[in-house]
Amino acid sequence: MNKSFGHVGLGLRREMLDDILNSAPNTVDFYEVAPENWMTLGGRFAKQFEQLTEQHNFVCHGLSLSLGSSDPLDTQFIADLKTFFEQHNVKCYSEHLSYCSGNGHMYDLMPIPFTEEAVMHTAKRIAEVQERLERRIAVENVSYYAAPGQEMSELDFTLAVLQEADCDLLLDINNIYVNSINHSYDAMSFLAAMPTERIAYGHIAGHYEEAEDLLVDTHGADVCDPVWALLQKAYELHGLFPTLLERDFNIPPLNLLLTEVQQIHQAQAVHQKLQRGIA
């Protein structure tokens, strides 16, 4: 694994700031934030955040770029992102392969129609964002609950966008598992088809079981055993890649979150041991 920001990460939330500033855990190599939640902060939070970005590696995972929207790209927002990334030495920027605007801003990530037209439209917008930021970005395979106007599979759509835009991939392991249950496809086959060379880093998270055939991607629970198993399979298929734990609500004390961070380390250690055995 040759990534400049480390092997194992944690999504940073404001309630963690004091704990991390007082005693940064040595098991966390990098942190991830949504830039929209930090770009406009002032006062104590801004000072604390600047202190952290001076001391630790950071990546950003966006919420509002709305890559699949028919609305024009917000070029001022992209310019502000570029300034923010330079100010805080952000190592990688990722966004969702979705949209959240259309005649106004929505507060949900909506699925892009799985069509050839949408592939070309979305890829063109990703390419423009990369040009304006002067850096490659990664797009995340997203969870979705309906596929309006579907003409191709989620897998074919995702691969086509990555190829046409020539961008990187944020590989979300939980989203693959959630979608495989909700849409009755084989998670292993989807995972195996992901382009190894485009994986910038990965996400792992928990979800809510609404029913046996309906999982909701909440990031509000512990990671379940099938998702841990899928992560181990991902390392087997694609080699080690930086992997980050997401937790957006029902956030436990930091010491409990770090037990799951340690599980990522253990999964990577298992893979390295197996690789040494093969060699």
Side-chain angles (χ1 to χ4, degrees), residues 92-121:
C92 181
Y93 173 53
S94 62
E95 248 289 0
H96 299 82
L97 190 53
S98 62
Y99 71 98
C100 58
S101 62
N103 296 321
H105 190 84
M106 297 175 280
Y107 293 94
D108 287 304
L109 297 170
M110 307 299 292
I112 302 170
F114 298 152
T115 67
E116 292 286 353
E117 181 182 5
V119 167
M120 302 306 294
H121 173 73

Side-chain angles (χ1 to χ4, degrees), residues 14-242:
R14 291 185 199 176
E15 48 265 64
M16 305 175 190
L17 277 174
D18 288 337
D19 285 340
I20 294 172
L21 282 167
N22 289 334
S23 181
N26 58 15
T27 53
V28 177
D29 300 314
F30 67 100
Y31 296 95
E32 179 191 78
V33 294
E36 294 88 342
N37 294 338
W38 298 84
M39 288 166 63
T40 59
L41 287 181
R44 178 172 67 92
F45 283 132
K47 291 179 181 178
Q48 288 180 319
F49 183 66
E50 186 170 6
Q51 183 178 342
L52 283 176
T53 60
E54 288 174 350
Q55 298 172 351
H56 304 282
N57 291 326
F58 269 77
V59 300
C60 280
H61 185 45
L63 300 171
S64 59
L65 196 53
S66 202
L67 289 171
S69 175
S70 59
D71 286 352
L73 284 169
D74 187 339
T75 56
Q76 182 57 58
F77 173 63
I78 296 170
D80 293 342
L81 283 174
K82 185 177 181 182
T83 299
F84 181 78
F85 297 159
E86 291 170 353
Q87 178 183 354
H88 294 287
N89 193 26
V90 169
K91 304 293 186 181
C92 181
Y93 173 53
S94 62
E95 248 289 0
H96 299 82
L97 190 53
S98 62
Y99 71 98
C100 58
S101 62
N103 296 321
H105 190 84
M106 297 175 280
Y107 293 94
D108 287 304
L109 297 170
M110 307 299 292
I112 302 170
F114 298 152
T115 67
E116 292 286 353
E117 181 182 5
V119 167
M120 302 306 294
H121 173 73
T122 305
K124 182 179 179 181
R125 288 163 68 87
I126 293 170
E128 181 178 346
V129 171
Q130 292 188 136
E131 183 177 354
R132 289 181 178 275
L133 289 177
E134 297 183 288
R135 65 162 71 198
R136 294 177 68 85
I137 72 170
V139 294
E140 179 189 45
N141 58 293
V142 295
S143 57
Y144 66 102
Y145 306 95
Q150 183 170 1
E151 297 175 0
M152 57 201 303
S153 69
E154 175 200 352
L155 174 59
D156 289 343
F157 176 79
T158 303
L159 293 175
V161 170
L162 292 171
Q163 179 67 32
E164 186 66 28
D166 190 21
C167 64
D168 292 330
L169 170 67
L170 166 52
L171 182 62
D172 193 300
I173 304 299
N174 182 63
N175 287 351
I176 294 176
Y177 179 73
V178 165
N179 289 349
S180 74
I181 298 298
N182 292 346
H183 303 290
S184 302
Y185 68 66
D186 183 65
M188 293 294 187
S189 296
F190 188 102
L191 180 62
M194 292 293 97
T196 301
E197 71 281 1
R198 294 190 185 274
I199 299 173
Y201 67 109
H203 274 173
I204 194 163
H207 55 259
Y208 175 70
E209 186 175 335
E210 183 75 28
E212 286 188 6
D213 58 351
L214 178 58
L215 305 181
V216 183
D217 180 34
T218 60
H219 303 172
D222 292 347
V223 179
C224 69
D225 288 343
V227 174
W228 284 118
L230 199 60
L231 177 65
Q232 199 74 65
K233 185 65 175 180
Y235 293 150
E236 178 184 330
L237 290 166
H238 301 293
L240 290 186
F241 50 83

Side-chain angles (χ1 to χ4, degrees), residues 10-11 16 245-247 251-262:
L10 177 64
M16 305 175 190
L245 175 69
E246 288 187 291
R247 189 67 175 256
I251 299 175
L254 183 60
N255 66 308
L256 294 181
L257 273 182
L258 292 177
T259 63
E260 290 196 293
V261 168
Q262 188 58 41

